[in-house]
Amino acid sequence: MRVGLDVGGTKTEAVALDDAGGVVARVRRPTTLGPDGVIASILAAVDEVAARSGGRATSVGIGMPGQIVPGSGVVSHAVNLGVRSLDVAAILGATLGVPVDVENDVKAAALGAAVLRVSAPSPAPGGVEPGLAYLNLGTGVAAGLVTGGAVWRGARGAAGEIGHLSVDPAGPRCRCGQRGCIEALAGGRAIAERWGRPAALPVAEVFDAAEAGGVDGADRALAGALRDDLVRGVAAAVRVLVLTADVDVVVLGGGLTALGDRLVAPVRAALRRSGETSPFLRSLHLDERIELLPAGSPAAALGAALLGAERGEEVLSVG
Amino acid sequence: MRVGLDVGGTKTEAVALDDAGGVVARVRRPTTLGPDGVIASILAAVDEVAARSGGRATSVGIGMPGQIVPGSGVVSHAVNLGVRSLDVAAILGATLGVPVDVENDVKAAALGAAVLRVSAPSPAPGGVEPGLAYLNLGTGVAAGLVTGGAVWRGARGAAGEIGHLSVDPAGPRCRCGQRGCIEALAGGRAIAERWGRPAALPVAEVFDAAEAGGVDGADRALAGALRDDLVRGVAAAVRVLVLTADVDVVVLGGGLTALGDRLVAPVRAALRRSGETSPFLRSLHLDERIELLPAGSPAAALGAALLGAERGEEVLSVG
């Protein structure tokens, strides 16, 4: 029984899969931060999901924020988890006695999104994806690429880190020091900082303020500008992913996609507008290539569970 | 004996390879335009390179401008060749009686650049490339990606078409209708049009004018602005290729690279500057990842010759 985990800064999600790849158990627990806390959180989640499924883990895959050197199980710079560097695979492998794979959470979610898409009533011919990108719109912006059923990691595991591509030299200053990065336009943290008002859901508040008549003129203008930046940032990310890797579909996920069609409809419109003047862009049908990850899908945990399979333990028909 | 061709708007280059992949003959002929002219030019070049090598072609690969639907031998929109749509593989296969592969010339050059790099005294550990991009700086701007020894084509063969990504909404208008496309900044045609003076080598003239004291102030200012745009366009292309696909190296080729270090040094400096403020970009060592294709390398013809091998006819150690 494969177990997969998505270890986030507030919660850890775990799924257990049967031999056919179906989710037979799913649990969510709070994450304890720091190296020891993260390891303890993972072990507790593995125990709980195994108990709930009535089976025993034969492999464990873990998706977590931070950098993972390709081919290693070492996570580094996982700031949100309070982890500087941790050999997660070695520690857990020794404790659990089963193969342990570790992957960046966005890349794991990309693999999960590819599997979910094939399992769903097929929108693609034969259900096979020649290439899929998962674009995570959360605190930051990053993407994961999947082709031939496997994660594309690149030379140093940086593939998909498009958040720090600048698409406007006169755009807002990014935390990275550049101006007009995709993340400075479309990242949840950047939008909240530019909005500058305390809010539980700042991006939703920005959309409300941009659309509502009840706020004063200045607030409304700022909200409108922030919303426009978010939309053009996401549209730019989609163009980058398709024109560079020519993925067949870009699946949008992450916290900001709770906005649903309020976000997706203007992004589609922006992509259609660039096609109006450019026959080349129009021929790519960019607006038709974006999809929302179904709300509540455990994409990262599911993808993490399949990391070993992707490595060649068994064959999966995920395109 | 494998034969590979690079069919351009003015000349057709052909190479013949021995069993070890070494170039044993190389010819250049003028290209005749139009569908019949292109086919005749190819047949003449195949005959001539075979005669010069003393062997007989067992496969023919063709790199040419235009779009090739993945898995087909049909080229379309090859404007520079006067070809709207032509089933090159079917026509030539019937005439020559050997397997014929057809690929976009930039993608073929990417494969050739990967092979040339492995054949050269190895700058990479073990000579193996986890991923390479070839960035063609000619009339237009486009890239080809190679990973695992094969061309990455994408869902519709559009992978690498980064020339029409906008990196500046206030930048110069592109032929495609957008503003600030990489090609509008760094394409030879766009630079020549903005320079607006008749010149045999307009981009070299722009660099001369930007650097010389002998031209008037307005010309010099325009030349400086065009040179700066070229440099930032190329730097943006390198960032897009590395942050999306995390290729290990970006090989620069095409007519504009005749500028050599006059182009490469400021591009490296621009990439270093973005790393000064951004630890993330600095960690990618972008300035160290660019290389020039050796002048006069028949990269596209060589890559074209190996298309069949890449497809699985034999194993090549090209990473």
Side-chain angles (χ1 to χ4, degrees):
Chain A
M1 186 185 73
R2 298 183 170 284
V3 168
L5 290 93
D6 175 13
V7 183
T10 53
K11 61 170 180 52
T12 293
E13 176 151 36
V15 297
L17 306 189
D18 61 21
D19 291 347
V23 175
V24 292
R26 184 174 170 183
V27 303
R28 270 189 176 197
R29 299 173 48 88
T31 303
T32 310
L33 301 186
D36 295 346
V38 164
I39 295 292
S41 300
I42 292 171
L43 290 172
V46 171
D47 276 353
E48 189 174 331
V49 81
R52 197 167 298 185
S53 70
R56 200 183 156 283
T58 54
S59 72
V60 172
I62 298 161
M64 56 201 300
Q67 293 174 14
I68 287 97
V69 176
S72 90
V74 181
V75 64
S76 60
H77 305 295
V79 181
N80 295 344
L81 300 179
V83 170
R84 188 184 285 269
S85 181
L86 189 64
D87 193 341
V88 176
I91 294 168
L92 290 174
T95 309
L96 294 167
V98 298
V100 174
D101 289 278
V102 183
E103 185 51 274
N104 168 271
D105 55 352
V106 174
K107 291 185 174 65
L111 187 59
V115 173
L116 285 166
R117 204 160 174 276
V118 174
S119 312
S122 173
V128 174
E129 286 314 321
L132 172 145
Y134 170 74
L135 178 61
N136 194 67
L137 303 169
T139 312
V141 176
L145 298 167
V146 173
T147 182
V151 176
W152 172 302
R153 293 179 178 84
R156 290 159 179 77
E161 294 293 347
I162 62 172
H164 296 291
L165 287 173
S166 168
V167 294
D168 185 358
R173 172 91 45 200
C174 183
R175 291 160 63 93
C176 84
Q178 301 184 102
R179 282 192 172 276
C181 290
I182 289 174
E183 183 165 305
L185 297 171
R189 186 201 291 122
I191 294 170
E193 286 174 2
R194 291 170 71 198
W195 182 231
R197 290 141 182 82
L201 296 168
V203 180
E205 192 177 284
V206 164
F207 271 62
D208 290 345
E211 291 160 10
V215 292
D216 75 52
D219 270 21
R220 191 167 174 181
L222 174 60
L226 294 178
R227 186 186 55 172
D228 290 350
D229 275 356
L230 170 54
V231 168
R232 71 179 171 120
V234 176
V238 172
R239 280 190 213 101
V240 164
L241 292 166
V242 175
L243 272 70
T244 306
D246 193 16
V247 290
D248 207 40
V249 63
V250 178
V251 177
L252 307 181
L256 271 55
T257 57
L259 289 162
D261 214 45
R262 293 172 82 189
L263 173 62
V264 175
V267 168
R268 285 217 170 92
L271 293 169
R272 269 194 301 273
R273 270 198 306 280
S274 50
E276 278 168 17
T277 52
S278 164
F280 170 66
L281 288 183
R282 190 163 59 245
S283 77
L284 297 177
H285 301 286
L286 294 167
D287 59 310
E288 297 166 21
R289 296 214 208 180
I290 58 176
E291 292 180 9
L292 273 181
L293 189 68
S297 298
L302 177 61
L306 297 168
L307 287 169
E310 173 227 41
R311 204 183 46 207
E313 286 177 19
E314 62 189 40
V315 176
L316 276 175
S317 56
V318 294
Chain B
M1 187 184 73
R2 296 182 173 286
V3 169
L5 290 92
D6 175 11
V7 183
T10 53
K11 61 172 180 51
T12 292
E13 175 151 36
V15 297
L17 306 188
D18 61 21
D19 290 347
V23 175
V24 292
R26 184 174 170 186
V27 302
R28 270 189 175 198
R29 300 175 47 89
T31 303
T32 311
L33 302 185
D36 294 346
V38 165
I39 295 293
S41 301
I42 292 171
L43 290 172
V46 170
D47 276 353
E48 190 175 330
V49 81
R52 196 165 299 184
S53 72
R56 199 180 157 286
T58 54
S59 71
V60 173
I62 297 161
M64 56 201 300
Q67 292 174 17
I68 287 97
V69 176
S72 90
V74 181
V75 63
S76 60
H77 304 295
V79 180
N80 294 346
L81 300 180
V83 169
R84 188 184 285 268
S85 180
L86 189 64
D87 193 341
V88 175
I91 295 168
L92 290 174
T95 309
L96 294 168
V98 298
V100 175
D101 288 279
V102 183
E103 184 52 274
N104 169 270
D105 53 354
V106 174
K107 290 186 175 65
L111 188 59
V115 172
L116 285 167
R117 205 162 173 275
V118 173
S119 312
S122 173
V128 173
E129 285 315 321
L132 172 144
Y134 170 74
L135 177 61
N136 194 66
L137 303 170
T139 312
V141 177
L145 298 167
V146 173
T147 182
V151 176
W152 172 303
R153 294 180 176 83
R156 290 161 179 75
E161 294 293 348
I162 62 173
H164 296 290
L165 287 173
S166 167
V167 293
D168 184 358
R173 173 88 48 198
C174 182
R175 291 160 62 94
C176 84
Q178 300 184 102
R179 282 192 173 276
C181 291
I182 289 174
E183 183 165 304
L185 297 171
R189 187 200 291 123
I191 294 170
E193 286 174 1
R194 291 171 72 200
W195 182 232
R197 289 142 183 81
L201 296 168
V203 180
E205 191 176 284
V206 163
F207 271 61
D208 291 344
E211 291 160 11
V215 292
D216 75 52
D219 269 21
R220 192 167 173 182
L222 174 61
L226 294 178
R227 187 185 56 171
D228 291 351
D229 275 354
L230 170 54
V231 167
R232 72 178 172 119
V234 176
V238 172
R239 280 191 214 99
V240 164
L241 291 167
V242 174
L243 272 71
T244 306
D246 194 16
V247 290
D248 205 41
V249 63
V250 178
V251 177
L252 307 181
L256 270 56
T257 58
L259 289 162
D261 214 45
R262 293 171 82 189
L263 173 63
V264 175
V267 168
R268 285 216 170 93
L271 293 169
R272 269 194 301 273
R273 269 198 306 281
S274 49
E276 278 167 17
T277 53
S278 165
F280 170 65
L281 287 183
R282 189 162 61 246
S283 76
L284 297 177
H285 301 285
L286 295 168
D287 58 312
E288 298 166 20
R289 296 215 208 180
I290 58 176
E291 292 179 10
L292 273 181
L293 189 69
S297 297
L302 177 61
L306 298 167
L307 288 169
E310 173 227 43
R311 206 182 44 204
E313 286 177 19
E314 65 189 38
V315 176
L316 276 176
S317 57
V318 294

